[in-house]
Amino acid sequence: MLEQINLGPGGYGGGSPPGGYGGAPPGGYGGGTPPGGYGGAPPGGYGGPPSPPGGFYAPPGSPLGPVGPYGPYGQGLQTPGTATGALILGIVSILFGCCCCAIGFPSAIGAVVCGVVAIQKINREPDVYGGKGLAIAGIVMGSSALVLSVISMVLGVASTLIDAAKKGHL
């Protein structure tokens, strides 16, 4: 009924499985070196080009400071705080420009002033300061909020005058 299978030493099978799966093909994998000269290590060893003398540091007296494998690092342009402030005040002024003139109007003026100061600073020292886009965005949003605040104030005064005229108080 039940046939006993001989698994060989360790219980992993003693011979090759049925169906011709037993062993490497005759002659190996093509025998010898592959065509096209893929046979040895490339000349000169592995890795990139050799490091410059002195490692990854600029020579003494250089304004660059430490130099990484792809050039100087940590030497980006600084963004003036007034440029960032212009952007933040511009966003606040747009959010509150239509509904709350007490916040929108002063923050819009602050955005325009900070943006102009930042652009002057960036233009004076372009090799040190960046962030001109932040300053311009702050000026644009602040100017837009000023226009919205003025329109909102005019409409508010007009509606008050119209209501007073309807009630006969004028």
Side-chain angles (χ1 to χ4, degrees), residues 29 44 55 57-58 71 77 89 91 134 137 149:
Y29 291 105
Y57 293 96
L77 297 176
L89 287 172
I91 292 170
L134 297 176
S149 293

Side-chain angles (χ1 to χ4, degrees), residues 78-91 111 114-116 118-119 122 130-142:
Q78 299 175 6
T79 301
T82 50
T84 307
L87 181 67
I88 292 170
L89 287 172
I91 292 170
C114 285
V116 169
I119 287 180
I122 292 167
K132 198 175 208 176
L134 297 176
I136 291 172
I139 291 172
V140 168
M141 286 190 284

Side-chain angles (χ1 to χ4, degrees), residues 21-93:
Y21 294 102
Y29 291 105
T33 306
Y38 297 116
Y46 295 100
S51 303
F56 290 112
Y57 293 96
S62 172
L64 297 178
V67 178
Y70 301 108
Y73 57 87
Q75 303 294 324
L77 297 176
Q78 299 175 6
T79 301
T82 50
T84 307
L87 181 67
I88 292 170
L89 287 172
I91 292 170
V92 168
S93 66

